[in-house]
Amino acid sequence: MQTNPTYSSLVAVGDSFTEGMSDLLPDGSYRGWADLLAGRMAARTPGFRYANLAVRGKLIRQIVDEQVDVAAAMNADVITLVGGLNDTLRPKCDMGRVRGLLEEAVEKLAPSCRQLVLMRSPGRQGPVLERFRPRMEELFACVDELAERHGAIVVDLYGAPSLSDPRLWDVDRLHLTAEGHRRVAEAVWQTLGYDGEDTEWRTPMPATVPPGWVTRRVADARFARQHLLPWIGRRLTGRSSGDGMPAKRPDLLPYEGPTGPAA
């Protein structure tokens, strides 16, 4: 990987992780690691273009059908693809089908860009996610194999101890906080070959006194009522939080951040 490469465009493909939930901006929209990465790349390259096709809740079949061909046609310098994790969290999941669809996506995207970026998504501890961990790790093994075969690079967030810290996850326990997204952007930035601005992004946060038993139980009850039960309901009925939602940034256009042009 060359040091401080010059890339003129970025297209992000995926689900809520790439859309930027739960990195909330004052206007109610989401920022996220992909926007942060685009801003940093744009600061180095005048006229830098960026598209983000991600939509929350999308399964790998939907990502392939709705985003992959669109992204490939944009012929961007860099394409990021993160998908399949929502499938692994469904009550029933055909991992053979997931692997096949991920392979289809990579085979279409890799030839269409200078650099395809895949990820081993960050993971955290918890009884709900533990039952799905074998599926997640099977997915990540597939990511590694496809990257080696097609010349993609892999950002290993799953192996970063810092990103399993519950303080980097929102109250829904499924999406990263703003600080979590900042660390992901740094990880992708460095994996692309840029000089790191935060060489300690993998380092766990300083220890603090954990909340007491009563505080934890109140938080667990609130989480179950506001997030877990609705999430389970959507999984059982085949619905998605992203049903009917458009892509975050559907066109490959010059990047403009929350306060205007970045370059």
Side-chain angles (χ1 to χ4, degrees):
M1 182 62 59
Q2 70 183 98
T3 302
N4 292 322
T6 300
Y7 294 118
S8 64
S9 52
L10 167 68
V11 175
V13 173
D15 51 34
S16 60
F17 174 69
T18 301
E19 184 185 345
M21 296 173 73
S22 293
D23 185 5
L24 194 63
L25 292 171
D27 66 359
S29 64
Y30 292 109
R31 182 176 54 179
W33 65 266
D35 283 15
L36 291 169
L37 177 66
R40 291 173 67 174
M41 296 173 76
R44 287 178 174 263
T45 307
F48 182 86
R49 296 175 300 151
Y50 170 52
N52 190 325
L53 306 180
V55 177
R56 68 195 69 174
K58 292 299 181 182
L59 303 173
I60 187 64
R61 172 82 269 174
Q62 294 169 306
I63 291 172
V64 170
D65 288 347
E66 300 168 14
Q67 300 179 31
V68 167
D69 287 341
V70 176
M74 291 178 174
N75 296 121
D77 282 351
V78 177
I79 297 178
T80 65
L81 167 65
V82 187
L85 198 61
N86 282 332
D87 296 79
T88 70
L89 300 178
R90 294 271 170 163
K92 296 181 180 179
C93 174
D94 182 344
M95 286 303 299
R97 182 171 180 269
V98 171
R99 291 195 305 271
L101 288 166
L102 188 60
E103 181 175 10
E104 179 182 344
V106 170
E107 288 178 345
K108 289 182 177 181
L109 293 174
S112 74
C113 62
R114 283 177 55 193
Q115 185 61 69
L116 178 62
V117 179
L118 306 177
M119 294 190 201
R120 292 162 55 92
S121 303
R124 58 162 299 174
Q125 306 300 316
V128 175
L129 293 181
E130 279 304 317
R131 64 172 292 201
F132 301 112
R133 193 169 300 280
R135 292 180 183 173
M136 295 165 60
E137 294 183 348
E138 183 178 348
L139 175 69
F140 299 154
C142 179
V143 165
D144 289 342
E145 190 276 327
L146 289 171
E148 183 175 1
R149 195 193 317 166
H150 294 278
I153 57 176
V154 178
V155 184
D156 185 13
L157 305 174
Y158 188 69
S162 63
L163 293 175
S164 66
D165 191 316
R167 291 171 293 178
L168 292 180
W169 295 79
D170 194 33
V171 293
D172 66 3
R173 305 182 185 181
L174 286 173
H175 300 107
L176 291 167
T177 63
E179 173 60 15
H181 279 284
R182 185 197 68 79
R183 291 185 181 224
V184 172
E186 180 67 36
V188 183
W189 175 262
Q190 292 183 26
T191 305
L192 281 169
Y194 293 103
D195 291 336
E197 295 182 10
D198 175 13
T199 58
E200 303 298 320
W201 71 267
R202 288 178 174 270
T203 303
M205 298 173 66
T208 58
V209 177
W213 185 89
V214 172
T215 300
R216 295 198 306 272
R217 297 295 78 78
V218 170
D220 288 345
R222 183 182 302 115
F223 160 71
R225 182 176 66 256
Q226 297 180 356
H227 302 286
L228 180 59
L229 292 177
W231 179 80
I232 291 174
R234 290 195 299 271
R235 296 303 174 273
L236 293 176
T237 59
R239 293 178 293 114
S240 167
S241 57
D243 287 347
M245 292 192 64
K248 178 177 182 178
R249 185 183 171 94
D251 300 311
L252 187 60
L253 298 172
Y255 174 80
E256 291 188 3
T259 59

